[in-house]
Amino acid sequence: MGKTFISLAVALALSCFSRAQVLTSGGRLKPEQAIMDIRHYTIALKVDIPDSSIDGYAVVDFVLSQASPVLLFDLLDSFHIHALSVDGSPASFDYAHSMITVRGAFSTGRHSVRVDYGGKPHIAIHPPWDDGFIWTRDSTGNPWVAITAEGTGGKLYFPCKDHPSDEPNEGVDMLITVPSGLVVAGPGLLQEVTPSGASVTYHWKTRYTINNYSIIFNVGKYKVVSRDYTTIDGHTVPMQFYVLEEHAAKAPHHLEILEKTVHEQEKYFGEYPWAREKIGIVETPHLGMEHQTMNAYGNKFRYTKVGGSDYDGLMHHEFGHEWWGNKITAKDWADYWIHEGICTFGDALYIREFEGEEAYDRYFARASHGFRNQQPIVLGHDIDEEAAYQPDIYGKGAFFMHTLRFVIGDSLFFPLLKGFATDPRYTYDNLVGTDDVEQYFSHGSGMQLKPLFDLYIRSVGLLQVSVRQVDAGHYAISTVGMPLTLPLEVGTDSGVQRIMVSSAEQIVASSSKPVIDPRVFYLTKVINAAPAAGG
Ligand SMILES: [Zn+2]
């Protein structure tokens, strides 16, 4: 059982870990892009595998909220731009410092910019910890191409407004051309497969809003293994695994594991978010990434046991991002913990579901020893991905949800958690920040939770609990510097008691010194206060 936890912790530490790199996305939104609302991307590229290059065009559809003499798009400097047009007419532009600057007189309203370009995209050295294209081969020698872009953003290979605060609300069309015999996996639904000579073009289309690091494709000698999935709300969704042909025999059992993972997450977070399209996973040469409706899977079918059954912790975590990250999206990387922390909390809920409450408690008690707690989880506003990324957004972020659950109580907490993930104010087109989470849970619980958010998320503070011996059989317990009255478990010689603790001392009867928070619902610092004089 302990092994399960170790394996899970290792999987979590590995999964969608970020990168030490200069390529990053987000940060302060440029004024030229703040007036631009992205509506749709079309990406049409021919993939030249021997040359490790791409060539084709992208169309960006957007609405300007005010007239502007300039349009600004991000695209890494790896490419050559052959032509650029705005609303069908050629336009003058510069392409430098990973920015395309288009000059003209652009009116308020909707516009369409087409960029014809090509070149060798940046190559990932150690994906998914850094971003780029991965040009490799499977064990039978077939080409295998993948992309990771979470940190760098979509500008890695297509012109875009590269900021987490704006997603293409009308979705994406991808037309990817590869040598015949290879298969392209992408987001949304496959519209058409068009052969032409020695090539074949796959047209993938999603009508959902999508974060731009999920706008990627994979190429390989894939076989599609599928089954139907019935969602918690009764909708039938195709569940598809784009698996390397050489591993196709493993796919049916893997989809059984995935089905269990989806079911469990639906219970806590509501219906699978992309039910009108598909549940998709694709085998990748890198460990994994939360690509919307085509989750990258690279854990090589290494399972652990949870509740006696095969479990893929890495897949469960990446799949949890279909809710936390893809459906519920932080508009500023500063609030990254909403993706990683709540998703990791969801991984612990799988243990609760299949191994019970005590196993879940032990998971967090163990996890509580591993936090760095050297800088706050939220470092301010307008933070780029590289600056926002730190391991505590996973574990400590998840532990915060564990604390919140204890403070609010299950009868309120679980409906509120699902409520947040299904509320139109916080999902799909409406992106969120830490303040939204705080206000939502405060309102829903009837508690003013700001001090708790400040302690865990905006500082590196610990809950300070003072213990003072009153006499041989009594101790006085209080918190220091915490304005909220909180529930607290106290281990005494007559068992565990639950008290409400505040800055006013509560007297607990015990002949031995009480153990504060024995099941570890908080990150605490116990202060042993001196006994009162003569006490
Ligand atoms: Zn993650």
Side-chain angles (χ1 to χ4, degrees):
M1 198 171 285
K3 218 174 165 192
T4 302
F5 300 135
I6 291 164
S7 304
L8 185 73
V10 169
L12 294 181
L14 291 173
S15 87
C16 56
F17 226 88
S18 202
R19 15 205 145 255
Q21 59 176 22
V22 292
L23 308 167
T24 188
S25 76
R28 189 170 295 282
L29 184 57
K30 300 169 192 80
E32 297 90 339
Q33 291 188 332
I35 60 170
M36 183 187 278
D37 174 25
I38 299 292
R39 304 306 302 174
H40 185 271
Y41 291 111
T42 301
I43 298 164
L45 295 169
K46 182 165 186 174
V47 181
D48 184 335
I49 291 172
D51 191 45
S52 303
S53 67
I54 54 175
D55 195 85
Y57 66 89
V59 179
V60 187
D61 294 299
F62 57 96
V63 172
L64 284 182
S65 61
Q66 61 187 70
S68 175
V70 67
L71 302 171
L72 215 54
F73 301 97
D74 303 279
L75 178 67
L76 281 195
D77 283 338
S78 332
F79 302 99
H80 175 71
I81 295 180
H82 316 307
L84 187 148
S85 64
V86 180
D87 302 323
S89 302
S92 72
F93 66 93
D94 302 322
Y95 176 36
H97 310 298
S98 298
M99 299 289 306
I100 304 169
T101 308
V102 189
R103 301 199 185 278
F106 308 108
S107 59
T108 304
R110 188 163 180 133
H111 297 279
S112 187
V113 168
R114 173 172 164 146
V115 183
D116 289 66
Y117 68 107
K120 291 177 186 283
H122 183 80
I123 289 176
I125 307 300
H126 193 34
W129 292 273
D130 72 342
D131 287 337
F133 274 55
I134 303 145
W135 307 91
T136 187
R137 289 180 183 275
D138 66 21
S139 76
T140 58
N142 293 300
W144 198 12
V145 183
I147 306 168
T148 59
E150 187 190 20
T152 306
K155 68 174 178 292
L156 180 78
Y157 82 100
F158 66 93
C160 58
K161 172 181 170 181
D162 191 41
H163 198 274
S165 63
D166 198 2
E167 299 186 347
N169 312 74
E170 297 161 25
V172 174
D173 281 81
M174 299 187 89
L175 297 108
I176 306 299
T177 302
V178 297
S180 299
L182 294 177
V183 174
V184 180
L189 292 173
L190 183 59
Q191 307 294 302
E192 211 173 7
V193 179
T194 312
S196 172
S199 299
V200 59
T201 300
Y202 279 75
H203 179 187
W204 285 96
K205 182 184 190 68
T206 179
R207 294 175 195 276
Y208 286 113
T209 185
I210 182 169
N211 52 43
N212 79 6
Y213 64 87
S214 276
I215 304 172
I216 60 101
F217 59 87
N218 299 271
V219 183
K221 188 77 173 166
Y222 290 123
K223 182 174 181 196
V224 187
V225 179
S226 19
R227 59 199 281 175
D228 278 346
Y229 176 83
T230 305
T231 70
I232 199 169
D233 291 348
H235 296 111
T236 303
V237 186
M239 181 180 261
Q240 299 174 344
F241 188 6
Y242 280 69
V243 60
L244 289 181
E245 273 187 5
E246 56 180 299
H247 298 143
K250 297 173 192 269
H253 179 56
H254 194 72
L255 287 180
E256 283 170 20
I257 297 170
L258 177 60
E259 181 161 323
K260 209 168 162 185
T261 268
V262 186
H263 259 305
E264 182 269 338
Q265 307 218 35
E266 283 194 310
K267 175 183 167 180
Y268 289 103
F269 307 145
E271 189 183 35
Y272 173 69
W274 323 104
R276 295 199 305 275
E277 294 184 347
K278 72 175 182 302
I279 293 168
I281 55 172
V282 57
E283 193 173 352
T284 55
H286 61 87
L287 263 179
M289 186 56 70
E290 60 258 31
H291 299 140
Q292 187 171 308
T293 68
M294 193 55 95
N295 241 264
Y297 177 74
N299 200 28
K300 301 187 190 311
F301 309 95
R302 289 175 296 207
Y303 306 136
T304 56
K305 296 282 183 196
V306 172
S309 298
D310 282 346
Y311 172 66
D312 193 314
L314 202 138
M315 180 170 69
H316 187 273
H317 177 84
E318 301 305 340
F319 203 82
H321 284 303
E322 291 287 26
W323 287 265
W324 304 101
N326 297 346
K327 183 184 185 190
I328 302 125
T329 306
K331 58 184 169 243
D332 182 343
W333 282 119
D335 303 309
Y336 208 166
W337 76 274
I338 298 170
H339 295 196
E340 296 299 354
I342 306 183
C343 188
T344 301
F345 178 69
D347 300 333
L349 292 177
Y350 190 91
I351 294 172
R352 176 182 189 253
E353 198 61 25
F354 294 104
E355 291 192 343
E357 206 70 67
E358 285 182 18
Y360 159 97
D361 287 344
R362 283 195 299 272
Y363 168 85
F364 275 116
R366 287 177 73 115
S368 68
H369 300 298
F371 309 144
R372 295 187 185 180
N373 220 25
Q374 286 167 350
Q375 54 181 351
I377 284 178
V378 174
L379 291 165
H381 293 289
D382 300 328
I383 309 288
D384 68 39
E385 199 272 354
E386 185 65 23
Y389 186 83
Q390 48 156 320
D392 278 355
I393 64 176
Y394 292 77
K396 192 184 166 196
F399 194 94
F400 174 62
M401 298 306 290
H402 173 59
T403 298
L404 203 57
R405 177 188 166 199
F406 181 71
V407 169
I408 293 176
D410 285 0
S411 61
L412 279 175
F413 175 81
F414 284 119
L416 282 172
L417 183 64
K418 187 189 272 192
F420 191 84
T422 51
D423 188 324
R425 290 176 297 169
Y426 308 119
T427 53
Y428 298 114
D429 286 342
N430 294 315
L431 312 190
V432 301
T434 298
D435 291 352
D436 295 310
V437 182
E438 178 192 310
Q439 284 157 23
Y440 172 86
F441 278 95
S442 291
H443 183 260
S445 66
M447 298 175 72
Q448 190 43 258
L449 294 167
K450 186 173 189 301
L452 212 56
F453 277 77
D454 287 347
L455 186 70
Y456 275 80
I457 303 291
R458 302 186 184 99
S459 84
V460 294
L462 303 172
L463 180 65
Q464 298 187 61
V465 181
S466 166
V467 180
R468 181 176 69 83
Q469 188 170 13
V470 179
D471 57 35
H474 296 90
Y475 288 81
I477 297 171
S478 59
T479 52
V480 179
M482 168 49 68
L484 268 177
T485 299
L486 296 169
L488 180 71
E489 287 189 348
V490 180
T492 69
D493 57 2
S494 58
V496 174
Q497 295 180 36
R498 183 186 169 103
I499 62 171
M500 296 304 290
V501 70
S502 67
S503 56
E505 289 185 326
Q506 301 288 306
I507 305 299
V508 172
S510 185
S511 56
S512 59
K513 190 186 161 201
V515 178
I516 299 302
D517 190 30
R519 290 196 288 164
V520 197
F521 292 109
Y522 295 100
L523 300 175
T524 52
K525 180 182 181 193
V526 176
I527 302 163
N528 295 303

